[in-house]
Amino acid sequence: MSFHGPAFAGTTAIAGIGATEFSKDSGRSELRLAVEAVGAALDDAGIAPSEVDGLVTFSADTNPEIEVARSLGMGELTFFSRIHYGGGAACATILQAAMAVASGVASVVVCYRAFNERSGHRFGTGVQSGFAAPTAENAQFSWYAPFGLLTPAAWVAMFARRYMHMTGATGEDFGRVAVADRRHAATNPAAWFYRRPITLADHQESRFIVEPLRLLDCCQESDGAQALVVTSLEMARDLRHSPAVVRAAAQGSGAGQHMMTSYYSGDLLRLAEMEVVARQLWGSAGIGPADVQTAVLYDHFTPFVLYQLEELGFCPPGEAKDFVRDGNIELGGALPVNTHGGQLGEAYIHGMNGIAEAVRQVRGSAVNQVPDVEHVLVTAGTGVPTSGLVLGVDR
Amino acid sequence: MSPGTREPSLSAAATWSAPDPVNQPMIRHFVEAVGDENPVYVDAGAARSAGLPGVVAPPAMLQAWVMRGLKATQELERARAGGRGRAGTAPASAQDEVLARLDAEGFTSVVATNCEQEYFRPLVLGDHLSASSRVESVSDEKKTALGPGRFVTTLTEMFDQAGELVAVMRFRLLKFRPAAPSATTAATSAGATAGAATAGAATAGAAAAGAPARASREDLGAGMRPGPVLTRDNAFFFEGARLGKLLVQRCSSCGTLRHPPAPSCAACRSLEWDAVESCGRGVVYSFAVVHHPQVAGFEYPLVVALVELEEGTRLVADLEGVAPADVRIGMAVEVGFAPLSPEIALPVFRPSAPSRK
């Protein structure tokens, strides 16, 4: 790693956040959701659409940059990019926007993700490889779909079983992540599960989806959109809110990487892609796990939250079960995780709503505000090529 | 994955009203015919105790309510016979036009492949439905076990008397050009059957549970258990499985084994490869027991294992012949094969006989 870190670290910031409501049936087009969220994020920053010159989204998003730009009356764009690998793209949208700003390619870049993932195409229904074109991307499903391993829950379950076998973690340990998320969502009016906390017993009584994963180990499916505005730190300082400084941002793909099915080498106890991200984040931010007051850890499935606690250095390998047993990930604990309720509790917006929560924690405006926040860690989708962020207060 | 080619010209919708409202006599005939004894379909008291407003229709009856009936269907047939392809005659529906066009392309045979229904509320006595149907997509030409063909997906939306959407149905059929029976095809089918018989014998203990599922899978053909996406890099594996061999790709230059297959060797970058036949024995490295969602072609709960072969590579495959609660990491397993279609077979593992441990 470079001693000085990348040029964007400490010189760029998230200056605005905006979202639609989070629901199960938005009743609107995905494009309209994107337009509403991008507009709200610009209003939050106090920036006019005409000042935007860059847009970033996921390759999985259905809303082209030019549609969003035309709808909002943006003018010319000089930077647009889309990031691949599903939810692994979330923090990378900020990384690529910050790189564009720091290099002078663009000055105001909006990152967005919008979908009707509950009322429209649901990822949880499974892949249908039989009708797919013979591309390498589709062909990978040949090793899973014909055998009935059709969904992200099923792909992750294979890891989780091995993890339990080797570390002694139990289904209850996975459940403690769900309980923490739902506790935090219960006091967040924007969360789908507002005022609906669960107990560990509720978790243990929920039905198996793919053993060892139960229903309450799996994130929601949601309709909604989230957008975030990235500018230079200098510009952000003149805008409406105190900047959430991009201290570090990184992407990572591990050796032997597959799409949530990196089963073929290693011991299935590590997330190699997150190790690549963690090493870069701590290196370029010049801080370590002890310097983070709260974290947003991607929680599509609870077991991978335990993996991440280990991979990011919050506890030694194999000891996340003890870390979560001690209540460390709840409000008031050593590392409150997913204070908005996470994707189990607030909404599944492919990780982008978690970045917005990190911004609120840095601003000091979160509904479940953690005291004395200096740095917030955010991660993106796990088991796939992924990304991460460290946001900090402006000092 | 791909929803197929969308053709905007196909989107004209046909709409019609159900001939009868949702009614008790039709429901009674239906539940008696299928042997469904759930009282909420016939007894208002039982329905209310279950938290329903009153007697409800079985969800599976959905399509029955909007079937046009014999007379209207005969009139439609007559209009088709007299007017197909000619301007100024009775208007054919968009679906009729699509099917006629596919007939003209030589895809003269048809088989229904699958039907998906989504219900937004239970239907109660007195509901009077109307339906709006359109062709949603027509796929590119596909190679199927039945011959080359194109999949046609029809989307039907059902509304109640207040105009509220109560259910949607996607019905997919395959219009195909039947393959002429030839010596080669006959030989291939015979080979596949023989292979299936061998696999059945090899997995004798599992056969009782496994065989009926496989038979129905074969009968229904396309649209059942999702098949592999074959490419020039991976087809050898499934060809091997059809012949009853579990193949592992091997670098011809340095001998390194690899799975899943790839076009080059990560160890020495050689593009040359062949495959070796695995001894078929390994251990369960991890496993998952699938309960939801339940997809046609599988039996649930479904045990899927990550098996580490004696040769050192790992692969995912179903594990049969052992109850989900009895599966253990480290359990010794050995391979058999199960046909998915006349052209495709899949490896399937079962616990090794104790004597071989």
Side-chain angles (χ1 to χ4, degrees), chain A residues 212-253:
Chain A
L213 300 189
R214 295 175 183 277
L215 177 66
L216 292 175
D217 289 307
C218 306
C219 73
Q220 306 176 62
E221 296 190 285
S222 305
D223 285 10
Q226 177 75 57
L228 305 109
V229 182
V230 175
T231 67
S232 68
L233 176 58
E234 196 182 348
M235 179 173 177
R237 281 174 174 152
D238 295 331
L239 297 171
R240 286 188 179 154
H241 297 281
S242 45
V245 182
V246 178
R247 293 289 175 202
Q251 283 183 277
S253 172

Side-chain angles (χ1 to χ4, degrees), chain B residues 83-162:
Chain B
R84 179 177 285 172
R86 263 184 260 152
T89 54
S93 75
Q95 178 169 353
D96 292 334
E97 286 172 19
V98 170
L99 298 182
R101 201 192 306 169
L102 292 173
D103 281 340
E105 289 178 24
F107 303 115
T108 51
S109 296
V110 65
V111 61
T113 58
N114 63 318
C115 178
E116 298 162 12
Q117 297 183 339
E118 192 171 357
Y119 318 107
F120 303 116
R121 71 160 173 87
L123 299 181
V124 298
L125 298 180
D127 273 335
H128 203 146
L129 302 191
S130 59
S132 173
S133 181
R134 64 188 167 82
V135 174
E136 189 180 47
S137 67
V138 178
S139 75
D140 296 333
E141 183 172 328
K142 306 285 185 192
K143 268 204 245 175
T144 78
L146 296 168
R150 300 176 74 179
F151 290 92
V152 179
T153 305
T154 306
L155 173 68
T156 305
E157 294 176 308
M158 320 254 182
F159 302 88
D160 64 12
Q161 53 283 357

Side-chain angles (χ1 to χ4, degrees), chain A residues 129 142 146-147 158 211 263, chain B residues 225 227 229 286 289 291 314 318:
Chain A
S129 65
S142 300
F147 305 100
M158 195 71 87
E211 284 180 69
Y263 300 154
Chain B
R225 186 187 273 231
V229 175
S286 191
V289 183
H291 295 264
R314 299 176 193 158
D318 295 346

Side-chain angles (χ1 to χ4, degrees), chain A residues 13 53 59 72 74 86-88 91-92 107 111 130 143 175 219 229 302 355 357 380 388:
Chain A
D53 52 8
S59 58
L72 280 158
M74 294 173 183
C91 297
S107 57
C111 306
W143 309 114
C219 73
V229 182
T302 57
I355 306 174
E357 173 66 4

Side-chain angles (χ1 to χ4, degrees), chain B residues 172-190:
Chain B
R172 191 168 293 120
L173 51 81
L174 174 67
K175 285 286 284 175
F176 65 100
R177 187 185 300 132
S182 70
T184 328
T185 342
T188 311
S189 319

